[in-house]
Amino acid sequence: MTRNAVKRRLRHCAAQRLDLLPAGVDVVVRASPATAQASYAQLDAEYERLVRKVIARLAVRPVRARGTRC
């Protein structure tokens, strides 16, 4: 039951921030066992922090064609 509650909370966090993600970006979330102890506010804040971190990395990284080497 706890796992399903965590999944619902994380889905809600993700749904609220879909507009932050660039088109074509998929997000995979892996929740550690400690996640079950976190409040919704903590999950929400951490999810947003990590999404913004990924977006910042995407902005810096050059886009290259598939199959090419750097």
Side-chain angles (χ1 to χ4, degrees):
M1 187 146 107
T2 301
R3 185 177 71 191
N4 288 334
V6 169
K7 283 178 12 181
R8 283 192 304 271
R9 288 177 179 175
L10 287 171
R11 276 193 202 123
H12 190 260
C13 293
Q16 290 183 322
R17 289 173 180 75
L18 285 176
D19 60 327
L20 294 177
L21 297 171
V25 172
D26 294 330
V27 175
V28 177
V29 177
R30 181 190 163 275
S32 68
T35 306
Q37 307 304 318
S39 69
Y40 175 77
Q42 290 169 318
L43 287 176
D44 193 48
E46 185 67 4
Y47 185 88
E48 182 167 353
R49 183 185 74 78
L50 292 171
V51 166
R52 291 188 184 282
K53 184 176 179 180
V54 167
I55 292 168
R57 284 186 181 179
L58 288 173
V60 172
R61 189 175 294 171
V63 177
R64 58 188 175 104
R66 186 174 253 188
T68 61
R69 294 183 180 170
C70 288

